[in-house]
Amino acid sequence: MIAIVDYGVGNLFSLKSSFEAVGAEVVVTGEKSVIESADKIVLPGVGAFADAARKLRESGLAETVKAEAAKGKPLLGICLGMQLLFEESHEYGVHQGLGLIQGKVVSMQGVIPQNLQIPQIGWNALKFHQDHPVLKYIKEGDCVYFVHSYYATECNKDLLLSVEYGAEITAAVVRGNVLGMQFHPEKSGTVGLNLLRAFVEWEA
C-alpha cells in the first residue's frame, strides 16, 4: 500500500487516480499510523515552500516522513514535495527542508535567459544522468510536464534527470530510497504513468 501524505498542500485526487490507473493500492492520509504501515510514501506539494514546510511540521508528519525514510522505506517527493526533501529553500527567505537530499532550492531568475518564461510551464524532454529502476519504462528524450519557478541545485551526485531550459534544470533526484521529481508525473500522460508504475514496483 502507498500512502500519499495529506498535510493540506497538494493535488491529491489526480495523483491518487494516477496511481490507481497503474494498479496500485493507494490511500490519501494525514494519519501517522497509516503512513507507518504503508509500503511506500508519496509527498506531494504545490505552492510556497515556507508555507508547505510549516504545515508539514505542524501536522507532526515531517518527523514521521523522515523516520520512515530512515528505515529504508521508498519515498517519492513530487514538485514542491521534491523541494521539501532538500536541506533548504531560498524562496522568499531561507527555509529549512527535510534534509534527506543534499542541496538547496533556488530561483530560476538570473539563471535562465530573460526571454524564457518564469515559471517554466509546459513539457520538456528528459536527460538521463544515471541508470535507475524507476526509469525502466521510459527513454531519454521523453517529455514530462513542469510548473515551477524554483529548482534544486548543488545536488549533482544525486542527480537522476535534468531538462534544458536555458540552463540545466534538475528534473529528478535519487539518494538511496529517497526519490524526487520536480515535474508532475500525474499530469505527464503515458510517460508519467510509466514512472509511477516503476515506482510502485521499485524495491529500494
Side-chain angles (χ1 to χ4, degrees):
M1 186 263 287
I2 295 174
I4 299 175
V5 181
D6 182 4
Y7 59 107
V9 181
N11 189 7
L12 305 178
F13 177 76
S14 62
L15 188 55
K16 181 176 185 286
S17 298
S18 293
F19 272 111
E20 290 174 340
V22 298
E25 179 188 355
V26 60
V27 60
V28 175
T29 182
E31 296 293 325
K32 177 182 177 181
S33 60
V34 178
I35 294 169
E36 290 173 338
S37 66
D39 301 305
K40 294 180 171 69
I41 301 170
V42 177
L43 183 65
V46 294
F49 186 102
D51 180 56
R54 178 182 56 79
K55 288 182 177 178
L56 188 60
R57 289 193 176 94
E58 288 179 353
S59 69
L61 297 178
E63 290 307 314
T64 301
V65 170
K66 288 173 68 175
E68 293 304 299
K71 295 175 185 176
K73 185 175 291 185
L75 168 64
L76 169 61
I78 295 176
C79 194
L80 180 58
M82 170 183 135
Q83 295 182 2
L84 288 167
L85 301 177
F86 284 83
E87 295 170 306
E88 62 184 33
S89 172
H90 291 238
E91 182 180 357
Y92 304 112
V94 180
H95 309 282
Q96 183 181 3
L98 296 175
L100 297 172
I101 300 281
Q102 184 177 351
K104 62 184 179 181
V105 177
V106 300
S107 176
M108 297 168 73
Q109 194 79 43
V111 176
I112 67 169
Q114 292 184 356
N115 64 311
L116 292 177
Q117 172 184 296
I118 298 176
Q120 177 188 193
I121 301 177
W123 299 81
N124 208 329
L126 295 170
K127 177 182 177 182
F128 288 20
H129 289 266
Q130 53 178 298
D131 292 326
H132 194 274
V134 81
L135 307 180
K136 65 182 178 179
Y137 296 128
I138 70 168
K139 62 185 185 299
E140 192 164 55
D142 281 348
C143 292
V144 292
Y145 187 79
F146 290 82
V147 182
H148 67 124
S149 303
Y150 288 76
Y151 77 105
T153 187
E154 298 180 13
C155 54
N156 287 348
K157 64 183 179 180
D158 298 322
L159 185 62
L160 180 62
L161 300 168
S162 69
V163 294
E164 178 66 28
Y165 193 65
E168 186 173 72
I169 301 296
T170 301
V173 291
V174 65
R175 171 175 282 197
N177 57 300
V178 179
L179 173 68
M181 299 177 184
Q182 178 61 67
F183 52 90
H184 286 274
E186 78 280 8
K187 297 180 181 179
S188 296
T190 301
V191 174
L193 289 177
N194 281 336
L195 284 161
L196 294 181
R197 186 191 314 277
F199 173 72
V200 172
E201 296 173 1
W202 179 39
E203 296 183 9

